[in-house]
């Protein structure tokens, strides 16, 4: 298998900087997701690694070999697209065998490899069918088989689950994760779906506007976001973010926001904020599950209640600010009712207003 290293990787189309000086190392056998909104540069990055695009600047290494000028066919990568890109006139067998035929591998060896990979992906009984006779999940398995039959060093997947229904997506997430761990192939997975990235990847690179915002484990990104973009993008429902002022009176620290004035009693948090007090404005972040409803030092009005099965999502309006809280389905309340709430201070995040970077 192969380690992938991107150094100051940049791709410019006309006046558009699609990928902007990306630096990322993906270890041998690691599963890394490129996660971000549409247009953030994640697919362009994948196509640069595949060799379909040439970098404007920067370097791509497979282990210690510079591959910038290497053709896609010489990079030994297996790629699966969102559309699956199966040849409609060919049988499943011929679709899988196609990359091996291009390499002029002997017929008996092709037959052996096709049947082995079909068995591994549980599609042996589909080999004589045409793509139009297959379900979405079956087509996806065929596309995976075609990529894997080459025994690639690197596995590149571009939103491969987007065209599947919700139930099948969940099944295929587990299937892809199992597949990657069994084969040990270095895998780069592009998605805009944070649940896919969080459940499947060893590490995630969160991208925005052509840049990497943060690289880390799912746990790191969820609990230690480095800026407001990552904080707001990771988590469902997303983190509550609102502007506030930091104020100190003697040795006491307060956060003043539209919803009220909070005294910070958590000692470690207070000590950090004492150094930052005087910062004109900050952004406070708190996840919905870290808001305690029913009692506390803050008050608002129930704007809406959304049942989610095992929990309730409550929208609380304080002035023109909406705060979302998750609570037990046993909670009783109606829209328009006044409600008290507070925060779990151990879980508060505080960011600079000017740069969006994390203070706490």
């Amino acid at each position: 298998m192969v380690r992938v290293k991107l150094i100051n990787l940049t791709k410019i189309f006309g006046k558009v900087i699609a990928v902007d000086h990306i630096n990322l190392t993906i270890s041998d056998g690691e599963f890394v997701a490129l996660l971000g909104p549409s247009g953030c540069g994640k697919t362009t990055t994948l196509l640069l690694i595949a060799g379909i695009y040439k970098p404007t600047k920067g370097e791509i290494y497979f282990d210690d070999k510079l591959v910038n000028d290497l053709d896609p066919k010489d990079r030994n990568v297996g790629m699966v697209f969102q559309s699956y890109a199966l040849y409609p006139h060919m049988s499943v067998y011929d679709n899988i065998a196609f990359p091996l035929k291009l390499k002029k591998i002997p017929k008996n060896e092709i037959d052996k490899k096709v049947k082995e990979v079909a068995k591994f992906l549980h599609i042996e009984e589909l080999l004589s069918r045409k793509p139009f006779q297959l379900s979405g999940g079956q087509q996806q398995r065929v596309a995976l088989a075609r990529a894997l039959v080459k025994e690639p060093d690197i596995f590149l997947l571009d939103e491969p689950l987007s065209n599947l229904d919700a139930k099948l997506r969940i099944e295929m997430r587990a299937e892809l994760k199992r597949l990657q761990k069994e084969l040990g192939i270095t895998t780069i997975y592009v998605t805009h779906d944070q649940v896919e990235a969080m459940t499947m990847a060893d590490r995630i690179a969160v991208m925005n506007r052509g840049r990497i915002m943060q690289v880390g484990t799912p746990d790191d990104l969820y609990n230690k976001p480095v800026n407001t973009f990552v904080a707001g993008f990771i988590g469902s429902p997303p983190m509550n973010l609102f502007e506030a002022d930091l104020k100190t009176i003697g040795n006491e620290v307060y956060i003043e926001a539209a919803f009220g004035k909070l005294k910070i009693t958590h000692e470690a948090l207070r000590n950090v904020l004492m150094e930052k007090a005087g910062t004109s404005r900050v952004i406070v972040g708190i996840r919905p599950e870290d808001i305690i409803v029913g009692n506390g030092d803050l008050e608002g009005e129930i704007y809406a209640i959304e049942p989610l099965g095992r929990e309730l999502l409550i929208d609380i309006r304080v002035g023109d600010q909406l705060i979302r809280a998750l609570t037990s389905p046993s909670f009783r309340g109606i829209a328009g009712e006044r409600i008290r709430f507070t925060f779990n201070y151990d879980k508060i995040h505080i960011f600079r207003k000017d740069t969006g970077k994390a203070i706490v």
Side-chain angles (χ1 to χ4, degrees):
M1 300 306 135
V2 167
R3 173 174 51 89
V4 178
K5 191 170 187 180
L6 312 178
I7 301 174
N8 291 321
L9 189 63
T10 302
K11 182 62 180 177
I12 301 172
F13 297 101
K15 295 182 179 179
V16 177
I17 303 173
V19 174
D20 191 358
H21 294 85
I22 281 179
N23 290 281
L24 179 65
T25 299
I26 298 157
S27 301
D28 181 357
E30 190 177 20
F31 191 134
V32 168
L34 304 181
L35 173 68
S38 179
C40 72
K42 55 191 185 294
T43 294
T44 303
T45 302
L46 197 77
L47 296 175
L48 286 164
I49 295 167
I52 294 168
Y53 290 156
K54 299 293 183 190
T56 306
K57 297 177 192 170
E59 297 160 344
I60 303 168
Y61 286 91
F62 289 179
D63 287 334
D64 297 320
K65 183 179 181 181
L66 182 66
V67 299
N68 282 34
D69 297 320
L70 215 57
D71 288 337
K73 65 183 175 60
D74 299 321
R75 297 195 184 194
N76 198 27
V77 300
M79 191 157 184
V80 178
F81 300 91
Q82 180 179 346
S83 64
Y84 311 140
L86 300 177
Y87 300 109
H89 63 287
M90 289 185 187
S91 67
V92 166
Y93 182 100
D94 289 331
N95 264 283
I96 297 171
F98 188 72
L100 301 180
K101 289 176 180 175
L102 289 179
K103 290 184 173 183
K104 295 185 167 54
I105 288 171
K107 250 186 177 181
N108 61 335
E109 196 177 331
I110 290 176
D111 189 63
K112 183 186 172 191
K113 286 179 178 290
V114 169
K115 286 175 179 172
E116 278 178 357
V117 76
K119 185 177 181 183
F120 184 70
L121 288 164
H122 311 298
I123 53 173
E124 312 101 299
E125 75 283 0
L126 305 178
L127 291 175
S128 62
R129 295 190 195 176
K130 296 283 179 65
F132 74 88
Q133 296 173 307
L134 307 177
S135 68
Q138 289 169 335
Q139 288 186 43
Q140 198 230 32
R141 279 188 167 87
V142 174
L144 288 170
R146 187 177 59 189
L148 290 172
V149 78
K150 299 192 298 180
E151 298 177 3
D153 295 322
I154 302 165
F155 204 19
L156 305 176
L157 301 119
D158 186 12
E159 308 243 20
L161 307 184
S162 295
N163 294 337
L164 303 179
D165 63 55
K167 182 173 181 290
L168 194 52
R169 274 205 304 272
I170 293 169
E171 290 174 9
M172 289 308 300
R173 284 205 311 256
E175 188 75 14
L176 276 174
K177 191 170 183 177
R178 176 195 68 84
L179 184 74
Q180 195 271 337
K181 292 305 172 197
E182 281 192 26
L183 297 173
I185 299 176
T186 306
T187 299
I188 304 168
Y189 186 101
V190 161
T191 182
H192 66 276
D193 185 329
Q194 56 156 315
V195 176
E196 280 182 20
M198 298 280 279
T199 54
M200 295 168 68
D202 300 318
R203 285 189 306 146
I204 301 167
V206 180
M207 295 184 67
N208 188 37
R209 297 180 180 177
R211 296 184 177 182
I212 291 179
M213 299 284 103
Q214 184 174 357
V215 181
T217 65
D219 188 62
D220 286 339
L221 297 178
Y222 193 80
N223 293 306
K224 300 171 188 173
V226 298
N227 58 34
T228 51
F229 178 82
V230 177
F233 195 79
I234 298 290
S236 182
M239 184 184 286
N240 295 288
L241 296 168
F242 38 82
E243 291 186 28
D245 284 307
L246 279 183
K247 298 285 177 71
T248 57
I249 301 174
N251 287 326
E252 294 183 342
V253 179
Y254 295 88
I255 294 172
E256 286 188 4
F259 53 76
K261 184 176 178 180
L262 290 178
K263 181 180 177 182
I264 303 299
T265 56
H266 188 285
E267 188 176 353
L269 178 60
R270 188 181 70 232
N271 291 342
V272 172
L273 294 181
M274 281 290 287
E275 300 170 18
K276 306 293 180 182
T279 301
S280 57
R281 293 287 274 173
V282 295
I283 293 175
V284 177
I286 187 81
R287 294 206 178 276
E289 63 268 31
D290 297 321
I291 296 175
I292 302 143
V293 298
N295 56 64
D297 45 359
L298 302 173
E299 188 178 358
E301 177 187 298
I302 297 176
Y303 182 73
I305 298 175
E306 303 171 48
L308 300 176
R310 63 180 178 180
E311 41 198 9
L312 285 179
L313 181 62
I314 303 177
D315 292 306
I316 304 168
R317 184 163 60 185
V318 183
D320 59 357
Q321 179 83 50
L322 268 186
I323 297 173
R324 311 190 92 191
L326 282 171
T327 191
S328 162
S330 61
F331 174 83
R332 294 290 173 264
I334 56 171
E337 188 178 322
R338 301 295 293 176
I339 185 175
R340 299 200 72 80
F341 64 98
T342 190
F343 298 159
N344 178 350
Y345 291 107
D346 289 343
K347 301 291 186 177
I348 280 181
H349 301 259
I350 299 179
F351 307 90
R352 291 181 62 96
K353 171 68 171 67
D354 52 356
T355 64
K357 291 183 178 178
I359 297 172
V360 181

